[in-house]
Amino acid sequence: AQSVTQLDSQVPVFEEAPVELRCNYSSSVSVYLFWYVQYPNQGLQLLLKYLSGSTLVKGINGFEAEFNKSQTSFHLRKPSVHISDTAEYFCAVMWNYGQNFVFGPGTRLSVLP
Amino acid sequence: DAGVIQSPRHEVTEMGQEVTLRCKPISGHDYLFWYRQTMMRGLELLIYFNNNVPIDDSGMPEDRFSAKMPNASFSTLKIQPSEPRDSAVYFCASSPQSQPQHFGDGTRLSIL
């Protein structure tokens, strides 16, 4: 069965520093990959997605992610974070032509002044 | 664009009572999803609809839970009877594609 792992449950980082949130998946079939952000007391927002093509995907709010098939990873990065980026970030994987979709456990990013 | 609208935002009720959560998806979206979020289990897909038809309800915990989508602009998730372990944040999401894209702000449900 396919699964998603986010190894870091919490990531504290200082404002204007770079950040990388890790996501690994296990799958024996082709997958599509997603990152979502959840701000406090709100629903999730889609940040970016990888369906095919270029392995470097750019999303909203200055985030980007790189699909690495050999390492089965889809890490999220931002070169300089802001206080407003404090939120929970979820990686997700879809397979079987959209029939199956699962979220990872989430990583709480805390941006410190 | 109003986005996905959920009501109520908060619900506190006693165990045994019937609870109804409501969702208005974004117009034109063919897919509607119901998720439950808890600290212990994270985000769980309960059920999703395509063109008002339930496609996968394997995540519905038990017979106490039911969901309907009588038309393209409205869906309900009902719990009867409710139990304390049902306490969670319930999210509705809609999308033009088979992965959830637009989430509502959720209903925070507390069963006493």
Side-chain angles (χ1 to χ4, degrees):
Chain A
Q2 278 59 240
S3 65
V4 182
T5 304
Q6 294 181 249
L7 290 174
D8 306 306
S9 60
Q10 297 187 56
V11 173
V13 63
F14 287 106
E15 192 174 16
E16 298 184 5
V19 70
E20 178 178 83
L21 305 183
R22 296 182 292 169
C23 173
N24 289 87
Y25 66 94
S26 63
S27 175
S28 57
V29 300
S30 295
V31 298
Y32 303 131
L33 297 156
F34 306 81
W35 275 101
Y36 292 78
V37 59
Q38 183 179 28
Y39 298 105
N41 298 316
Q42 293 185 25
L44 281 70
Q45 297 177 31
L46 180 64
L47 269 179
L48 49 80
K49 59 184 174 182
Y50 171 77
L51 302 179
S52 64
S54 173
T55 57
L56 183 63
V57 182
K58 294 189 183 297
I60 61 172
N61 301 342
F63 284 94
E64 65 180 30
E66 186 155 21
F67 170 57
N68 188 320
K69 188 174 182 179
S70 63
Q71 297 187 2
T72 61
S73 68
F74 191 56
H75 301 332
L76 182 70
R77 295 190 289 260
K78 186 170 183 177
S80 176
V81 294
H82 303 290
I83 297 287
S84 58
D85 292 322
T86 294
E88 186 124 20
Y89 291 80
F90 294 90
C91 184
V93 62
M94 183 171 75
W95 70 99
N96 196 19
Y97 305 103
Q99 295 296 312
N100 302 95
F101 186 94
V102 66
F103 283 99
T107 296
R108 185 173 298 276
L109 175 65
S110 298
V111 180
L112 310 171
Chain B
D1 194 347
V4 176
I5 299 173
Q6 290 187 247
S7 63
R9 285 300 311 275
H10 303 273
E11 175 89 15
V12 181
T13 191
E14 294 185 346
M15 65 178 294
Q17 297 298 306
E18 178 179 289
V19 173
T20 300
L21 310 182
R22 296 173 175 81
C23 176
K24 177 178 170 55
I26 293 173
S27 177
H29 283 187
D30 294 332
Y31 290 86
L32 184 140
F33 307 81
W34 282 101
Y35 280 89
R36 178 171 67 178
Q37 186 177 37
T38 61
M39 289 292 292
M40 291 297 293
R41 291 192 296 269
L43 278 158
E44 302 172 280
L45 176 66
L46 300 177
I47 186 172
Y48 80 91
F49 297 83
N50 182 21
N51 293 321
N52 312 338
V53 176
I55 303 301
D56 182 1
D57 64 354
S58 59
M60 295 286 264
E62 47 200 271
D63 292 344
R64 297 185 298 107
F65 284 68
S66 62
K68 293 182 179 179
M69 192 165 185
N71 57 62
S73 58
F74 184 65
S75 177
T76 59
L77 178 68
K78 190 170 292 186
I79 309 172
Q80 166 63 20
S82 58
E83 297 182 3
R85 60 190 168 122
D86 301 331
S87 298
V89 182
Y90 290 80
F91 288 102
C92 175
S94 72
S95 177
Q97 299 160 342
S98 57
Q99 77 274 6
Q101 284 195 10
H102 300 270
F103 282 73
D105 285 336
T107 294
R108 187 173 296 275
L109 178 63
S110 297
I111 308 297
L112 307 177

